[in-house]
Amino acid sequence: MNKEVVNVGRQEELDWGKSLAIVAMICVHVYEQLSIVDIEVVPTDAFRIILEFVAGPLTAPLFMFCMGVGIMYSNNSAPLQMVKRAFNLLRNGYLLSFFKGTILVAIALALGYTINWTLADSLFLVSILQFAGMAFLTIALMKKLRISLPVMLVISLALSVLGGQLSELDFSGSWLQYLFGLFFETNYVTTFPLFRWIFYPVFGMIFGYFLLRTTDKSRFYLRIFPIGILGAVAFSIIYTALGFDLRTMFMLSGRVYYSQSLLHYLFTSLVIMAVLPVYYFLSVKIKIEPVNKAVSYLGENLGSIYLAQWMIIPYVQAILVLVGDVRIDVALIIPVGILVLLGSIGIIELIRLVKRRNSAHDFLENRKMFVKHDYYMRPLKSVKF
């Protein structure tokens, strides 16, 4: 370990982590929104347990962890720059909620459907983009106050405990539920409140601090792998032996996944430390160019894919409801998830193509105007000195 920053540039193992997490994320959203499975029933079969586990510690927490690593690696992580990015994320979060939720809820209510969501619920849903915006604001403030990483970690743990206590307050019927929902659970549409999830980007920042100063990444990951794998196994055995259900560390039933606690942090951190060396090994050993390009593409376009898949899944769900409340079978969850991923990529590339064509058209129009009015291209009059 070096005292100075030596390991800069893009860390390909994180791209591997994010790319595999994207696939799991989309599949679990299909599983939640489109399949015949009732996610409120505790998973007992191997498929559901594996899917909810992979989509638990290795999706949202991993994304937030990578966000923290990215803050440490970014050249644009000054407090003011982070604040600007935070407001952009919050804006995008609420715009996404409007297009994927509020429009559909309004149509459903107009058609006379009975639904559990109000228009306000659909618009002020606290999802991962809202969390990311709040996290950037919080970390920007802590950086402005020159709070060290260890103290940030302590603050994140304290906020988690505070969030658990505050979630017991009753805000039903009050608009304050949508404001305070950014910080802790106030209703059933609060999925990623700041206090419960801020630990993961802070953990990522601490990891990024050491990764930046690593001279031998192979040795670095070989050291943390046994800690992660043995720690996760030991936690699972002890937790189960004490009579607790390990599924509560990741399952969707009862929303326990969203109510992250100190035990969740320990379990998930160990899982992340166990899989990162695997992702590093894949990034080093796999030399198949199309695979590496796909991984790089998914890692670089994480945010865009997240937005695009929510422009597909809710509308497909609405169509299935209109044709008779059709739901897809369990066997189709992963195939449909892959189709949604491909559709999301198609949307992204179509938008980029339109932008490129518009840019090319604007360039040609500007060039025509330039040639038409280009006085500098005309012959110079003779000048007498």
Side-chain angles (χ1 to χ4, degrees):
M1 186 70 64
N2 202 306
K3 291 184 178 180
E4 303 298 326
V5 171
V6 291
N7 177 35
V8 296
R10 195 168 189 89
Q11 306 300 300
E12 294 180 359
E13 65 272 21
L14 298 184
D15 279 340
W16 273 90
K18 288 186 287 186
S19 63
L20 295 175
I22 288 169
V23 177
M25 173 194 72
I26 293 178
C27 287
V28 84
H29 287 161
V30 169
Y31 164 80
E32 289 180 277
Q33 306 294 326
L34 304 179
S35 80
I36 61 174
V37 175
D38 181 358
I39 62 170
E40 285 305 321
V41 175
V42 176
T44 55
D45 60 284
F47 174 78
R48 286 191 62 197
I49 291 173
I50 292 172
L51 180 60
E52 292 199 24
F53 169 74
V54 173
L58 298 180
T59 54
L62 183 64
F63 292 146
M64 297 171 186
F65 170 86
C66 290
M67 182 175 75
V69 176
I71 290 172
M72 298 302 290
Y73 271 80
S74 176
N75 294 322
N76 301 311
S77 60
L80 182 58
Q81 293 170 315
M82 292 184 68
V83 168
K84 291 179 179 178
R85 188 172 180 187
F87 283 112
N88 287 335
L89 286 165
L90 286 168
R91 177 202 62 200
N92 292 342
Y94 288 115
L95 283 173
L96 177 62
S97 294
F98 176 77
F99 284 107
K100 82 178 181 71
T102 307
I103 290 176
L104 292 173
V105 169
I107 293 173
L109 291 173
L111 294 175
Y113 283 89
T114 300
I115 56 177
N116 295 326
W117 289 53
T118 67
L119 287 173
D121 290 340
S122 66
L123 181 60
F124 295 108
L125 165 75
V126 179
S127 193
I128 199 165
L129 287 179
Q130 284 87 342
F131 164 78
M134 295 300 295
F136 268 94
L137 282 175
T138 305
I139 293 170
L141 175 61
M142 290 194 286
K143 290 185 72 172
K144 183 68 175 178
L145 297 175
R146 300 184 182 278
I147 296 175
S148 65
L149 287 175
V151 176
M152 285 188 190
L153 180 63
V154 173
I155 291 173
S156 72
L157 297 175
L159 287 176
S160 174
V161 175
L162 177 62
Q165 297 298 314
L166 293 175
S167 66
E168 300 297 324
L169 299 176
D170 184 9
F171 288 94
S172 56
S174 170
W175 277 87
L176 289 175
Q177 64 181 303
Y178 302 116
L179 173 61
F180 291 132
L182 291 167
F183 300 94
F184 52 90
E185 299 104 315
T186 56
N187 52 39
Y188 64 95
V189 298
T190 303
T191 52
F192 296 104
L194 175 71
F195 290 178
R196 292 285 204 173
W197 291 86
I198 187 64
F199 167 82
Y200 293 111
V202 172
F203 176 43
M205 291 175 69
I206 293 172
F207 185 89
Y209 173 88
F210 290 104
L211 191 60
L212 278 165
R213 290 160 178 79
T214 297
T215 54
D216 187 342
K217 286 180 68 174
S218 296
R219 186 179 179 186
F220 174 73
Y221 281 115
L222 281 174
R223 283 182 172 180
I224 70 170
F225 179 71
I227 297 173
I229 192 70
L230 295 176
V233 170
F235 179 96
S236 302
I237 293 173
I238 295 171
Y239 195 70
T240 304
L242 291 174
F244 298 105
D245 188 347
L246 187 64
R247 291 171 297 185
T248 59
M249 290 293 102
F250 53 82
M251 71 181 186
L252 295 168
S253 177
R255 298 178 56 81
V256 294
Y257 172 67
Y258 299 112
S259 301
Q260 294 281 306
S261 66
L262 302 184
L263 285 174
H264 284 85
Y265 303 151
L266 177 58
F267 177 73
T268 301
S269 298
L270 290 169
V271 171
I272 290 174
M273 290 177 68
V275 298
L276 280 179
V278 177
Y279 296 149
Y280 173 72
F281 175 82
L282 292 173
S283 71
V284 171
K285 295 298 181 181
I286 294 184
K287 302 298 183 182
I288 304 172
E289 193 60 24
V291 173
N292 290 330
K293 284 185 177 180
V295 168
S296 179
Y297 179 91
L298 293 175
E300 291 174 1
N301 291 278
L302 167 64
S304 299
I305 293 172
Y306 176 81
L307 293 172
Q309 54 111 27
W310 280 126
M311 291 295 98
I312 297 175
I313 293 174
Y315 288 90
V316 170
Q317 183 183 25
I319 292 170
L320 293 178
V321 169
L322 287 173
V323 299
D325 200 17
V326 178
R327 312 287 289 182
I328 67 170
D329 193 67
V330 172
L332 294 176
I333 290 172
I334 293 178
V336 171
I338 299 299
L339 288 176
V340 172
L341 173 61
L342 295 175
S344 301
I345 293 171
I347 291 173
I348 294 167
E349 292 306 315
L350 179 61
I351 292 173
R352 288 176 178 170
L353 177 62
V354 171
K355 285 183 176 180
R356 284 196 296 269
R357 287 188 175 180
N358 288 339
S359 297
H361 179 266
D362 291 343
F363 172 78
L364 291 174
E365 289 298 315
N366 290 336
R367 186 173 182 276
K368 289 178 183 178
M369 293 296 293
F370 178 77
V371 171
K372 182 178 179 180
H373 299 288
D374 188 6
Y375 298 101
Y376 298 102
M377 297 299 291
R378 298 176 183 177
L380 292 173
K381 295 180 179 179
S382 58
V383 180
K384 295 182 181 179
F385 292 95

